[in-house]
């Protein structure tokens, strides 16, 4: 056991800092810090800068374009990205479908898709959930029927984040209805421009558009776009969800939120004194900060176990549960810190073409949108109730 | 002791319930919230015709002499449908201040107009630095000739956009947090020197930041005693808090009903999600929070009628603190139990969540009222 950074680690930290200080575009940083949804253009511009530096996919094996960082270096990078309000690469490509492709895909798929993910040529979205299949994902109904070298896909996906930005969607589809649910699912990569696909927006409680419904009507998908074997899709899907659950903890981002809260609390007043001297406020913030520290060291301990070749079962679910609860507590406290200015709220698009800034202090612009959106953090990626079910079954044997 | 409503009170309840049922379906409310105005002038007329706008005012000025209990009955049922008309701002706050502090001429000029539905009011008390402290007033009113000149910035004035007259708290003497030296003024919304920044709030309502720059008002604009407005403000705000508590109870009950129904309908893993024990317990906790809140809301409505000021203020602080916590819990969990469906603007539950979130904050959040209670109880 050892927590100290080596000289090389410290030099690496300086390199990351230097890179972020000089290369992160100010507009991208600003949106990320405020907690606003990324724009496609801004996120793609930033990812291309990351890729040029060779830092697009720290978790990928080196042979596919990974960075070869040690777990300590990954930790340092995540910290620095968080502090600098640097967005990490959009998860759907790099963290979700990428690892599925290099783990289960064939050579052609690897050769074609992986470089395109690294260079942000394709924006990916995740076609898992359906109206009748959320928590019970395995009951999904979207059908793919073989027709020569194609599958013909019919059905509907819902809650598809950023489908309106997307060039590609990875989809779970039913290829066999006669067997146990989990054994009749396949994993397809589908070009969003294929005829028969319709994307319909869903406006969220944040009044913004990030969610969509995606409809498939006789959509022809070449069989070569299937990952691995037919009817083995559930295995790949679960592998992906495991990765999703760790990346969802977002410790670096939460640490930055703690810092923001401390800055804001100096500017806000409570009882005629700075809010930063209000014991109720300090108490709440401190509790979150300590919980966050516990989460951080739990994550590190798990990463260290993985690096030492230990098999984890459902432990990452813990990171998802604790991480998302902390994110919600932080945005709650952020909004609370604004006092009365926690009330004004308008969707971003209503400011388009107006040359006035949102009302209230500048730092109050963003957190309410994020606060509203993050109610979903305990729902998406497998709800926290489902995560608790998994831990109780897989880890505790109950 | 009796928590039951009288026959007359039951009739009032039925009447508001019917209005909400007829006019505030989720779709109708969403449409209304999205209009420029953010509420309906026709509904306002209806409310006037039904006598609701005169409910809390004395009979001498054309009101019905209703108590805080009548107000609570109306607010609770309006909360059920997330009613958008500026009842709280105009009747309870604005009208309440005028009725409480105004002289005969002011009362006669304003209250009958309010009762008729011809005049809307707003109360501008908060300032960017004041947070929830009613005594933290930097807006100044200096004597000039017969009248006063007002200067300052009033923050997040609910319904400041549509109010014909705005009641402004301003300092006529003392330092920014002194309890003495605060006065109330009735200011026409279109007075020269009044600049408004109008905007929407997360609960679908309308508010404004108001800048006063050398706004000249006559001596007749002064409401009540110069420098002695704080006790009046506190009294009227206490009534507004009690009204908000009742609104929260109605909103929580509606959110719980909607969620409860959804849990019976929504199936996953081949069974209604309401069959999962962890969700059953959550729903029971939400139900208990709403019940506890209803008790606190009824309690505070009854205590407002007592003369004992400390008792009254303790009751208000306790009710707001308890209901604030409950409102957050019920609002957040209603979304959680809906899964993705709870996250859509089109579905009603998110709107309950947002109104409940704002109610927790308005007139002081939970922390504020716990502190206040602790100070009063020690
Ligand atoms: C903002 C957002 C973004 C999303 N992005 C995507 C995306 O890009 N791609 C995609 O495929 N999906 C996405 N999702 C969908 C997400 O994965 C689902 O919402 C989630 O799996 C829950 O499913 P559901 O919404 O159908 O809720 P339901 O499954 O109906 O759940 C409703 C409630 O019941 C509870 N529940 C269900 N089953 C059990 C049980 N057995 N025991 C205890 N409690 C239970 C849940 O926890 C929840 O509280 C997104 C969702 C949101 C809100």
């Amino acid at each position: 056991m050892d927590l100290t950074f080596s000289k090389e680690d410290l030099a690496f930290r300086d390199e990351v800092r230097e890179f972020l200080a000089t290369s992160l575009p100010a507009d991208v940083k600003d949106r990320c810090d405020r907690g606003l949804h990324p724009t496609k253009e801004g996120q793609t511009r930033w990812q291309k800068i990351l890729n040029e530096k060779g830092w697009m996919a720290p978790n990928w094996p080196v042979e596919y374009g990974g960075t070869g960082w040690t777990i300590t270096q990954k930790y340092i990078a995540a910290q620095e990205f968080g502090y600098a309000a640097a967005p990490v690469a959009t998860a759907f490509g790099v963290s979700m479908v990428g690892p599925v492709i290099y783990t289960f895909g064939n050579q052609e798929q690897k050769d074609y898709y992986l470089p395109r993910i690294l260079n942000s040529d394709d924006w990916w979205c995740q076609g898992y959930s359906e109206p009748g299949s959320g928590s019970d994902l395995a009951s999904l109904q979207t059908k793919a029927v073989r027709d020569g070298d194609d599958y013909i896909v019919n059905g509907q996906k819902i809650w598809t984040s950023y489908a309106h930005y997307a060039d590609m969607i990875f989809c779970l589809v039913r290829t066999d209805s006669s067997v146990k649910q989990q054994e009749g699912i396949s994993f397809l990569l589908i070009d969003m421009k294929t005829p028969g696909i319709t994307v319909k927006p869903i406006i969220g409680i944040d009044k913004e558009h990030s969610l969509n419904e995606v409809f498939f009507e006789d959509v022809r998908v070449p069989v070569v776009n299937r990952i691995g074997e037919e009817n083995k899709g559930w295995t790949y899907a679960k592998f992906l969800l495991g990765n999703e659950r760790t990346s969802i903890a977002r410790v670096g981002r939460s640490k930055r939120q703690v810092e923001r809260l401390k800055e804001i609390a100096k500017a806000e007043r409570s009882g005629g004194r700075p809010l930063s001297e209000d014991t109720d406020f300090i108490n709440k913030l401190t509790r979150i900060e300590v919980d966050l520290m516990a989460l951080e060291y739990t994550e590190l301990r798990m990463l260290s176990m993985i690096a030492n070749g230990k098999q984890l079962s459902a432990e990452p679910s813990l990171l998802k549960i604790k991480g998302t609860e902390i994110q919600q507590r932080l945005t709650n406290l952020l909004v609370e810190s604004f006092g009365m200015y926690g009330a004004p709220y308008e969707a971003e698009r209503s400011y388009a073409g107006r040359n006035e800034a949102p009302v209230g202090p500048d730092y109050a612009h963003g957190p309410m949108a994020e606060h509203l959106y993050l109610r979903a953090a305990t729902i998406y990626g497998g709800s926290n109730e489902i995560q608790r079910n998994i831990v109780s079954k897989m880890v505790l044997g109950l | 002791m009796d928590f039951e409503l009288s026959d007359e009170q039951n009739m009032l309840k039925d009447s508001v319930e019917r209005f909400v049922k007829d006019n505030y379906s989720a779709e109708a409310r969403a449409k209304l919230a999205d209009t420029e105005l953010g509420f309906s002038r026709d509904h306002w007329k209806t409310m006037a015709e039904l006598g609701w706008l005169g409910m809390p005012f004395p009979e001498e000025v054309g009101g019905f002499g209703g108590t805080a209990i009548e107000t609570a009955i109306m607010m609770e049922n309006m909360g059920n449908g997330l009613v958008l008309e500026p009842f709280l701002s105009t009747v309870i706050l604005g009208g309440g201040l005028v009725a409480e502090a105004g002289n005969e001429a002011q009362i006669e000029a304003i209250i009958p107009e309010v009762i008729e539905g011809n005049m809307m009011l707003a109360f501008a008390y908060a300032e960017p630095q004041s947070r929830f402290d009613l005594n933290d007033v930097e807006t100044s009113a200096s004597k000039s000739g017969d009248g006063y000149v007002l200067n300052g910035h009033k923050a997040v004035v609910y319904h400041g956009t549509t109010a014909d007259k705005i009641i402004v708290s301003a300092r006529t003497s003392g330092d920014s947090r002194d309890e003495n030296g605060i006065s109330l003024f009735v200011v026409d919304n279109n007075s020269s020197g009044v600049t408004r920044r109008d905007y929407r709030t997360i609960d679908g309502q309308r508010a404004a930041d108001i800048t006063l720059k050398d706004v000249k008002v006559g001596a007749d604009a002064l409401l009540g005693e110069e420098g002695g407005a704080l006790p009046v403000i506190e009294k009227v705000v206490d009534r507004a808090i009690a009204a908000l508590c009742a609104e929260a109870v109605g909103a929580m009950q509606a959110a719980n009903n909607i969620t409860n129904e959804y849990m019976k309908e929504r199936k996953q893993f081949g069974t209604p999600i309401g069959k999962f024990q962890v969700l059953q317990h959550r729903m029971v906790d939400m139900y208990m929070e709403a019940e506890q809140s209803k008790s606190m809301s009824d309690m505070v409505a009854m205590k407002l009628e007592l003369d004992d000021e400390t008792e009254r203020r303790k009751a208000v602080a306790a009710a707001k603190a308890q209901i604030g916590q409950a409102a957050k819990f019920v609002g957040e969990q209603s979304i959680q139990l809906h899964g993705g469906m709870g996250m859509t603007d089109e579905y009603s539950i998110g709107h309950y969540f947002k109104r409940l979130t704002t109610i927790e904050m308005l007139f002081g959040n939970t922390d504020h009222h716990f502190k206040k209670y602790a100070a009063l109880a020690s």
Side-chain angles (χ1 to χ4, degrees):
Chain A
M1 268 195 243
D2 185 7
L3 280 176
T4 50
F5 290 157
S6 67
K7 249 189 19 230
E8 293 76 32
D9 290 336
L10 292 173
F12 175 75
R13 187 183 67 191
D14 292 341
E15 188 192 353
V16 178
R17 267 188 202 168
E18 168 72 17
F19 167 71
L20 292 174
T22 52
S23 307
L24 176 61
D27 61 319
V28 174
K29 179 186 168 96
D30 185 61
R31 289 193 75 82
C32 178
D33 208 24
R34 291 180 189 278
L36 298 169
H37 293 295
T39 64
K40 183 177 183 180
E41 184 281 321
Q43 182 70 20
T44 306
R45 180 159 34 99
W46 168 232
Q47 289 184 182
K48 286 194 185 270
I49 296 171
L50 277 177
N51 190 38
E52 222 160 86
K53 178 79 180 167
W55 287 2
M56 181 64 183
N59 290 319
W60 288 16
V62 178
E63 54 174 317
Y64 300 121
T67 52
W69 290 342
T70 62
I71 58 161
T72 311
Q73 287 176 317
K74 285 183 194 170
Y75 165 72
I76 290 171
Q79 291 273 329
E80 295 302 324
F81 271 60
Y83 278 133
V88 290
T90 310
F92 305 108
V94 167
S95 310
M96 294 187 187
V97 77
V100 168
I101 292 173
Y102 65 65
T103 310
F104 303 106
N106 60 34
Q107 196 57 45
E108 272 145 34
Q109 289 168 335
K110 292 183 203 175
D111 290 345
Y112 180 74
Y113 292 112
L114 297 179
R116 294 180 64 84
I117 291 174
L118 289 175
N119 198 40
S120 305
D121 293 331
D122 298 321
W123 185 296
W124 283 85
C125 66
Q126 178 184 25
Y128 274 28
S129 309
E130 298 182 5
S133 309
S135 297
D136 182 15
L137 184 59
S139 69
L140 60 94
Q141 297 294 325
T142 296
K143 258 200 173 63
V145 179
R146 253 322 252 276
D147 181 42
D149 290 339
D150 292 338
Y151 285 108
I152 298 178
V153 179
N154 277 289
Q156 183 197 345
K157 297 293 174 179
I158 195 169
W159 318 121
T160 324
S161 299
Y162 305 111
H164 55 306
Y165 288 178
D167 306 292
M168 294 291 296
I169 182 168
F170 55 91
C171 264
L172 295 181
V173 294
R174 184 153 305 285
T175 34
D176 190 346
S177 310
S178 65
V179 290
K180 225 183 108 194
Q181 281 182 342
Q182 286 82 347
E183 289 161 13
I185 292 169
S186 299
F187 194 110
L188 297 185
L189 314 178
I190 306 178
D191 187 333
M192 290 293 282
K193 284 185 290 294
T194 321
I197 297 181
T198 319
V199 178
K200 268 201 191 159
I202 299 173
I203 302 301
I205 58 171
D206 57 358
K207 299 265 176 195
E208 301 293 348
H209 174 202
S210 68
L211 298 171
N212 302 275
E213 292 179 280
V214 182
F215 296 90
F216 297 85
E217 209 187 320
D218 294 333
V219 175
R220 281 194 170 267
V221 182
V223 172
V224 295
N225 282 22
R226 191 188 67 221
I227 291 286
E229 292 176 49
E230 190 171 86
N231 297 328
K232 285 275 163 21
W234 188 247
T235 315
Y236 318 140
K238 279 203 309 191
F239 165 85
L240 182 152
L241 286 176
N243 292 337
E244 184 180 1
R245 269 156 214 169
T246 40
S247 62
I248 250 168
R250 294 170 69 192
V251 172
R253 164 77 179 149
S254 289
K255 285 177 122 179
R256 169 67 192 136
Q257 295 279 62
V258 169
E259 293 310 306
R260 286 175 81 209
L261 263 162
K262 289 181 179 171
E263 289 160 22
I264 290 167
K266 285 188 200 139
E268 288 290 332
R269 299 183 80 73
S270 167
R273 310 279 314 154
L275 181 61
S276 56
E277 294 173 16
D278 181 315
T279 48
D280 288 335
F281 178 84
I282 297 171
N283 231 309
K284 277 193 261 197
L285 183 55
T286 307
R287 280 167 198 269
I288 300 176
E289 201 174 339
V290 172
D291 276 348
L292 182 56
M293 191 190 286
L295 173 67
E296 181 180 6
Y297 282 96
T298 305
E299 183 174 31
L300 287 175
R301 193 161 60 83
M302 284 186 190
L303 290 175
S304 154
M305 285 160 81
I306 295 168
N308 285 294
K310 295 212 178 91
Q311 274 290 321
L312 299 185
S313 74
E315 288 86 348
S317 289
L318 187 164
L319 305 179
K320 198 269 169 172
I321 295 170
K322 287 290 176 189
T324 51
E325 286 175 357
I326 287 172
Q327 289 163 38
Q328 290 181 341
R329 284 161 69 195
L330 281 165
T331 54
N332 242 316
L333 198 53
L334 270 164
V335 169
E336 186 180 318
S337 73
F338 307 146
M340 291 293 285
Y341 283 110
Y345 185 70
E346 287 174 281
E348 255 199 298
R349 65 183 170 285
S350 58
Y351 286 100
R354 262 199 254 166
N355 58 7
E356 58 181 0
V359 75
D362 179 63
Y363 51 68
H365 171 47
M368 177 52 88
E370 190 179 24
H371 170 64
L372 295 171
Y373 178 75
L374 280 182
R375 289 322 309 169
T378 45
I379 297 169
Y380 58 50
S383 78
N384 285 18
E385 286 80 14
I386 293 297
Q387 305 295 346
R388 284 184 167 90
N389 286 352
I390 293 172
V391 174
S392 98
K393 193 168 155 190
M394 309 271 292
V395 183
L396 306 178
L398 296 173
Chain B
M1 203 185 300
D2 189 2
F3 281 75
E4 296 307 308
L5 301 183
S6 69
D7 288 348
E8 275 183 2
Q9 289 169 337
N10 265 318
M11 274 167 58
L12 176 64
K13 175 174 176 280
D14 291 346
S15 147
V16 184
E17 236 174 45
R18 200 164 332 111
F19 169 84
V20 167
K21 194 160 166 282
D22 291 347
N23 299 293
Y24 269 92
S25 68
E27 303 77 55
R29 195 237 179 217
K31 251 198 207 138
L32 209 49
D34 221 30
T35 57
E36 186 69 30
L37 195 61
F39 62 87
S40 153
R41 291 208 186 266
D42 286 345
H43 290 349
W44 193 247
K45 279 249 137 48
T46 307
M47 290 180 175
E49 283 156 17
L50 290 168
W52 301 351
L53 304 185
M55 192 53 70
F57 301 116
E59 284 162 27
E60 306 90 77
V61 292
F64 289 88
T67 66
I69 297 169
E70 277 74 26
T71 300
I73 292 168
M74 289 193 284
M75 288 298 290
E76 189 176 314
N77 286 281
M78 290 196 229
N80 231 282
L82 300 177
V83 167
L84 293 160
E85 280 69 32
F87 181 80
L88 186 73
S89 295
T90 298
V91 178
I92 307 297
L93 281 169
L97 289 167
V98 173
E100 193 70 33
N103 58 35
E104 218 167 290
Q106 289 167 326
I107 291 177
E108 266 170 30
I110 294 174
I111 299 300
E113 291 293 304
V114 167
I115 294 174
E116 292 287 314
N118 297 329
M119 188 187 286
M120 291 186 180
L121 305 173
F123 180 29
Y125 60 96
E127 298 184 1
Q129 84 293 339
S130 70
R131 203 171 189 81
F132 308 122
D133 296 338
L134 300 167
N135 59 304
D136 193 325
V137 177
E138 288 184 359
T139 297
S140 65
S142 19
K143 268 243 154 69
S144 157
D146 270 356
Y148 299 84
V149 177
L150 308 185
N151 278 290
H153 177 174
K154 289 294 178 181
V156 197
V157 183
Y158 262 68
H159 302 109
T161 311
T162 40
D164 301 288
K165 291 180 191 296
I166 297 164
I167 320 276
V168 177
S169 64
R171 193 160 278 293
T172 35
S173 67
D175 286 331
S176 63
R177 292 182 55 83
D178 284 355
E179 304 208 333
N180 290 317
I182 300 167
S183 308
L184 289 170
F185 295 91
V186 184
V187 179
D188 279 342
N189 204 339
N190 55 10
S191 308
S192 110
V194 172
T195 319
R196 262 189 5 245
R197 167 80 192 274
D198 299 333
Y199 48 83
R200 296 179 181 207
T201 52
I202 61 153
D203 49 1
Q205 307 210 9
R206 300 292 181 276
D209 269 37
I210 298 178
T211 316
L212 304 153
K213 189 154 192 305
D214 297 330
V215 176
K216 295 192 176 56
V217 294
D220 58 350
L222 177 70
L223 201 58
E225 188 194 329
E226 183 181 293
L230 191 62
V232 177
I233 295 174
E234 283 177 341
K235 191 169 179 186
V236 172
V237 165
D238 275 357
R239 286 193 214 137
I241 290 174
L244 264 184
C245 285
E247 186 188 344
V249 168
M252 277 189 259
Q253 287 172 345
N256 280 350
N257 288 340
I258 294 167
T259 307
N260 204 344
E261 280 311 302
Y262 189 77
M263 287 172 71
K264 290 181 192 164
E265 282 160 25
R266 173 67 173 170
K267 287 194 174 127
Q268 286 291 276
F269 304 99
T271 170
I273 59 171
K275 290 287 172 216
F276 299 124
Q277 199 165 49
V278 67
L279 302 192
Q280 292 171 345
H281 286 192
R282 191 88 48 85
M283 192 70 237
V284 171
D285 288 341
M286 292 157 70
Y287 161 79
M288 292 196 296
E289 288 299 327
E291 284 299 310
Q292 299 265 78
S293 298
K294 168 73 175 151
S295 312
M296 289 299 257
S297 170
D298 284 357
M299 176 279 290
V300 79
M302 292 187 272
K303 290 219 168 168
L304 273 187
E305 298 302 319
L306 301 178
D307 287 332
D308 184 333
E309 189 187 309
T310 311
E311 262 308 288
R312 182 197 88 209
R313 298 186 62 197
K314 271 169 66 182
V316 169
K320 185 65 170 42
Q322 191 277 335
I323 288 174
Q325 283 181 309
K328 277 206 97 103
F329 178 74
V330 168
E332 292 174 356
Q333 292 307 322
S334 306
I335 291 192
Q336 182 67 23
L337 297 190
H338 275 83
M341 196 56 90
M343 287 299 297
T344 67
D345 185 51
E346 208 182 327
Y347 190 77
S348 63
I349 204 71
H351 300 280
Y352 284 94
F353 161 70
K354 289 193 258 188
R355 180 61 184 156
L356 287 168
T357 304
T358 344
I359 290 178
E360 191 271 340
M361 178 274 291
L362 285 172
F363 300 108
N365 62 15
T366 304
D367 278 358
H368 175 86
H369 285 284
F370 272 131
K371 280 195 188 86
K372 213 166 111 185
Y373 184 86
L376 288 162
S378 65

